[in-house]
Amino acid sequence: MTDIQQILESRKPLTLAGAPTGFLPSLMSDLARAAAFKDTPAVYIAPDDTAMRGLADAVRYFAPEIDIVVFPAWDCLPYDRASPSLRISAERLAALHQLQRNSAKPRVIATTINAVTQRTLSPFRIRQLVTHLAPGERIDRDDLTAKLQANGYIRVESVADSGEYAVRGGILDLFPSGEKEALRLDFFGDEIESIRRFDPADQRTVGRAESFTLLPASEALLDAENIKRFRGRYRELFGATATGDPLYQAISEGRRLAGMEHWLPLFEDGLATVFDHLDTGALHVRDSGTPAAAEARFESITDYHQNRENMRTSEPGSYRPLDPDTLYLPENEWQAAIAEAPLHLTSPFREPDSDTVVDMEVGNARDFAPERKANANIYEAVVSHIETLRKDGKTVVLGSYSRGARERLGGLLEEHGLTGATVADDWQTALGGD
């Protein structure tokens, strides 16, 4: 049995040893291809947003045939007075919608520990909120703008980012969640006459759209049913005197208030977790840094909640926080979820094979710290290492952030004895591929 098959078929959490960070995009790509035969995705849980996006970008570059779904966490602190940004909210909802649709390609879902330990809208609710629009369909413009407002879109003079819309006579500009470009809807009466894509930077049309899917721009929706539900639950939790709170008054009037998403459980009949949006057979892998990140996450949620409760005691009515378990997974629920998944753990260190360890046999990158400490010539050390690898029959690829950096690095290494180097703008050409 190969390592990939062993990982795919294991029903208990494994340690994937000998898997340094740079190897993870390749590993997740291979796991996604293998999991696709069972019609399931491969899920990667990163310790933070940077690691998540780094892996997603690398998979897109080295394995363009794989479908990537990125599900980020809110970019605000627990119990904050700020809301998650429109861009993040749009990205989250677009990802949840993608998870409701089957993919013909292998799929990697990249997310973070903060994202998977927070509750969100249920799969049924996501499907319920989807609206498909196309030229020729009739829809009252006032009803459409009211729907956009209730679904978290912000009205602006000129659309520039996800979650914004603008109305100019018979034209409605819109940047829906999940779309790469903004859309311009031309109305003839109540009929959508055409849909054009445009670049928000210069407002110029770049093509036409046959149709599009309208998703919410926020997880906290302000339709009549949600407002009624929020009002009743807020009074039930905090008493009749809470009706004077700015939050209660704003929601009652159908106005969005910064930070209102932190009361999301009061708007919905029930919330779900990311695991509820995934197939039961999905293959889950977490980065070696996620256990520490998870511990820090649970501690920070407890601390922020306690701070709000202390403030509420000293200043009644200042901020009425919800119980952490209503919006975030408690640690015991998280542990149960990762055991049931099962959630495999990567490690950059080599370990002997066992029932719970699979050694991927990938070494860490060569560290030139000893040469630096000894004040040795670092470029001579790099050239010497490259020659050693070549003698062992290995191909060496040196990457740079830009062409300028590549030229500088190449020149310095040539000055210190590197020969036979090929300059290329992509890794396939460098390796002699197509």
Side-chain angles (χ1 to χ4, degrees):
M1 181 185 296
T2 65
D3 291 341
I4 296 298
Q5 288 176 321
Q6 183 179 351
I7 297 168
L8 193 65
E9 296 176 8
S10 177
R11 301 318 308 157
K12 58 185 177 183
L14 300 174
T15 296
L16 312 184
T21 301
F23 173 66
L24 296 183
S26 176
L27 173 62
M28 293 307 302
S29 298
D30 287 343
L31 290 174
R33 295 185 188 100
F37 287 103
K38 294 187 175 183
D39 294 323
T40 60
V43 183
Y44 169 72
I45 302 178
D48 53 46
D49 191 81
T50 300
M52 173 192 70
R53 296 190 185 278
L55 179 128
D57 290 343
V59 172
R60 286 192 188 101
Y61 184 79
F62 290 104
E65 78 282 5
I66 291 179
D67 184 25
I68 297 290
V69 179
V70 175
F71 182 69
W74 286 357
D75 54 347
C76 55
L77 298 173
Y79 300 103
D80 204 348
R81 290 190 181 275
S83 296
S85 66
L86 283 175
R87 179 176 292 276
I88 287 294
S89 294
E91 192 173 13
R92 284 170 58 86
L93 289 160
L96 294 177
H97 177 244
Q98 281 184 272
L99 296 182
Q100 304 305 307
R101 304 164 62 189
N102 294 326
S103 175
K105 301 189 295 183
R107 174 179 280 180
V108 170
I109 299 165
T111 185
T112 67
I113 189 67
N114 286 6
V116 298
T117 54
Q118 180 177 323
R119 305 185 195 279
T120 185
L121 300 181
S122 68
F124 171 77
R125 192 73 166 116
I126 294 294
R127 293 191 294 269
Q128 187 182 46
L129 294 169
V130 171
T131 302
H132 298 283
L133 295 176
E137 294 190 15
R138 302 186 68 87
I139 183 169
D140 183 83
R141 278 175 294 175
D142 291 338
D143 289 345
L144 179 56
T145 55
K147 181 181 181 67
L148 292 173
Q149 198 72 30
N151 285 3
Y153 286 83
I154 303 299
R155 184 166 182 170
V156 294
E157 291 294 324
S158 181
V159 169
D161 207 348
S162 294
E164 296 179 344
Y165 77 97
V167 180
R168 302 192 312 279
I171 296 176
L172 188 148
D173 288 348
L174 171 67
F175 205 142
S177 301
E179 292 287 336
K180 296 181 180 179
E181 298 162 322
L183 301 175
R184 181 161 289 149
L185 282 62
D186 289 295
F187 281 85
F188 182 75
D190 288 338
E191 180 180 323
I192 300 176
E193 189 172 32
S194 68
I195 302 175
R196 292 173 290 164
R197 300 186 182 278
F198 71 93
D199 184 352
D202 56 17
Q203 301 291 303
R204 291 186 177 183
T205 300
V206 295
R208 290 186 175 271
E210 296 299 323
S211 64
F212 75 97
T213 299
L214 179 62
L215 295 171
S218 171
E219 290 158 81
L221 309 176
L222 288 182
D223 55 39
E225 187 64 29
N226 274 26
I227 292 174
K228 179 181 178 181
R229 190 180 295 118
F230 172 89
R231 283 165 53 87
R233 291 177 176 174
Y234 200 82
R235 292 194 304 267
E236 181 182 344
L237 280 174
F238 304 120
T241 58
T243 57
D245 291 355
L247 174 67
Y248 184 89
Q249 293 179 348
I251 302 302
S252 298
E253 297 168 6
R255 292 187 292 109
R256 305 193 71 82
L257 190 71
M260 59 180 280
E261 287 81 1
H262 299 277
W263 285 267
L264 180 62
L266 304 187
F267 290 90
E268 295 292 327
D269 268 335
L271 297 178
T273 68
V274 175
F275 296 105
D276 296 317
H277 287 265
L278 299 171
D279 299 328
T280 54
L283 181 64
H284 299 79
V285 175
R286 54 175 170 161
D287 185 277
S288 58
T290 56
E295 184 178 348
R297 172 69 163 172
F298 295 126
E299 289 179 358
S300 67
I301 291 170
T302 300
D303 289 344
Y304 285 121
H305 178 260
Q306 189 59 55
N307 289 338
R308 287 300 186 189
E309 283 290 355
N310 293 341
M311 185 180 298
R312 177 185 172 188
T313 302
S314 60
E315 302 175 26
S318 60
Y319 189 110
R320 304 178 194 268
L322 297 181
D323 186 275
D325 293 359
T326 61
L327 185 57
Y328 303 100
L329 272 67
E331 188 169 5
N332 62 334
E333 190 174 335
W334 162 247
Q335 293 297 338
I338 64 177
E340 183 180 354
L343 184 54
H344 307 304
L345 177 67
T346 65
S347 172
F349 306 108
R350 304 289 296 276
E351 297 182 27
D353 281 341
S354 71
D355 291 342
T356 59
V357 174
V358 177
D359 191 352
M360 307 308 297
E361 300 182 355
V362 178
N364 282 305
R366 170 72 158 82
D367 188 352
F368 293 93
E371 285 81 4
R372 293 181 184 278
K373 187 175 181 180
N375 293 322
N377 189 304
I378 191 69
Y379 299 106
E380 289 181 357
V382 172
V383 171
S384 175
H385 181 59
I386 291 173
E387 294 304 325
T388 299
L389 293 174
R390 284 175 169 177
K391 289 177 182 178
D392 291 340
K394 297 179 180 178
T395 300
V396 180
V397 177
L398 300 177
S400 298
Y401 286 105
S402 66
R403 291 185 179 182
R406 180 189 66 191
E407 298 300 328
R408 180 175 178 275
L409 177 61
L412 288 168
L413 293 178
E414 284 182 6
E415 290 176 6
H416 290 85
L418 181 66
T419 59
T422 299
V423 177
D425 287 333
D426 61 82
W427 69 276
Q428 290 179 323
T429 303
L431 294 175
D434 296 331

